[in-house]
Structure formats: C-alpha cells, structure tokens
Amino acid sequence: MAKIVRKKAPIAEELPDGLDKVDLAIVRELLADSRRTLQQIGEAVKLSPTTCWSRIKRLEAEGVITKYTVELDRARIGYHDTVIVQLTLDSHTDQALYQFGRALAEIPEVLDAYLVSGEYDYFIRIAVKDTRDYERLLREKLYKIPGIRHSKSNFVLRVLKDARVPLA
C-alpha cells in the first residue's frame, strides 16, 4: 500500500487582526522617527503620501497608534541610574491594589509598574539621579505608601535592550 505524504502549507506570518504588512511597515517607520514626513514614510513603504496619511489616520482611529511623543536621554537630564524594585504588599484586596497603583502614579520617578505573579506582587522601574537620590525617594515617597510588606531593589548596570513593542 502506497503511503500518502501530504505537504504542509507554509505557515503565513501571523498579523494582528485588522493589520497588514503595510500597516506594520508604516508603524515601524513611525517608531523609528515619528517626525518623518508623509513623503519619507511613503517612499520607505512604497505608497503615496496620501495613502500613508489615510492608513495612519485609520491606525489612530482604531487605537493602534495612541500618541506621538519624544524620547529623552534620562542621563542627559540628570537621571543616571535605573532601579528595579520588587515589592510585596500586606493586602491584596481590590481596594489595596487600587490605592497602591494610584500612589505609584503620583511618583514621577516611577517609569513603569507591573502587577506580577510569583514571589513579589510588583516590579517597578524607577529613574534616579544616584544612590542618594534613591534613598531619598524610598524615605520620602515609596515607603510612605501604606501596606508595603517587603521590597528588594536592584540597580541596572547596563541596558541590553529597551523596546516598547515587539516589532521586528
């Protein structure tokens, strides 16, 4: 009896719902430099500026593009160190988590805060000028938030990768 061998169809690159390769190419161009002109973006993705503008407006309307911003060199404005803080709270009620989140949002040095699973409840990324500034932030701001049971801090020695979205 002859064995039937079926060839598998090549797996298509998975794209997010509603986006095509051209949309992603436009987003990549904007991520690289959101000040580029429609002419420059169009040349890069092989579309007319008008078509690029229409696609960008659609991506904004759909919430894919949420804002345009600048990226600062933190060291050039005095924030030379980054600290990763792992925190555990005493209570995990909805109210406690909400209040803690609101308190973190009021601290400008807090860059990112993640509620996580595992040994700690939060991973928080903080920008500070130096170790003295971090000590000040702990005493004057972070440890004044009620409900912190335990914390552990790690100073970042070197950033190996810093990307906002996983687009290749």
Side-chain angles (χ1 to χ4, degrees):
M1 183 170 196
K3 186 175 183 181
I4 298 174
V5 178
R6 293 189 178 142
K7 289 186 178 180
K8 290 184 180 179
I11 298 173
E13 179 183 339
E14 276 192 49
L15 298 174
D17 288 340
L19 299 181
D20 62 19
K21 288 183 180 184
V22 176
D23 290 336
L24 292 179
I26 289 170
V27 169
R28 282 187 196 97
E29 292 298 317
L30 289 170
L31 283 170
D33 182 0
S34 63
R35 294 183 60 174
R36 296 184 76 192
T37 66
L38 289 171
Q39 182 73 33
Q40 292 169 319
I41 296 169
E43 288 172 8
V45 301
K46 301 183 183 5
L47 290 177
S48 73
T50 304
T51 304
C52 278
W53 183 82
S54 297
R55 283 181 174 252
I56 289 169
K57 288 298 171 194
R58 180 179 50 80
L59 292 167
E60 290 171 352
E62 292 174 355
V64 174
I65 296 173
T66 57
K67 68 180 176 179
Y68 297 88
T69 186
V70 296
E71 190 170 316
L72 300 176
D73 181 335
R74 285 191 299 273
R76 302 271 303 192
I77 58 172
Y79 290 89
H80 299 280
D81 289 318
T82 302
V83 183
I84 307 296
V85 179
Q86 300 169 63
L87 276 169
T88 302
L89 300 181
D90 286 328
S91 172
H92 299 94
T93 65
D94 288 343
Q95 182 67 17
L97 297 177
Y98 175 77
Q99 288 176 341
F100 184 73
R102 297 254 326 185
L104 284 182
E106 296 296 318
I107 301 173
E109 296 89 346
V110 172
L111 304 173
D112 300 300
Y114 304 96
L115 176 62
V116 297
S117 61
E119 186 177 344
Y120 290 90
D121 298 324
Y122 288 89
F123 279 12
I124 304 165
R125 189 169 62 101
I126 298 175
V128 293
K129 295 174 182 176
D130 52 32
T131 54
R132 268 204 156 125
D133 189 40
Y134 181 57
E135 178 192 5
R136 176 203 54 79
L137 182 128
L138 285 177
R139 281 185 292 101
E140 295 176 8
K141 296 180 181 181
L142 197 61
Y143 287 161
K144 289 199 173 181
I145 300 172
I148 295 174
R149 178 187 309 157
H150 176 70
S151 72
K152 176 179 158 183
S153 303
N154 298 93
F155 273 76
V156 173
L157 301 177
R158 184 181 317 151
V159 176
L160 303 178
K161 182 177 180 180
D162 187 10
R164 290 288 173 204
V165 293
L167 292 178

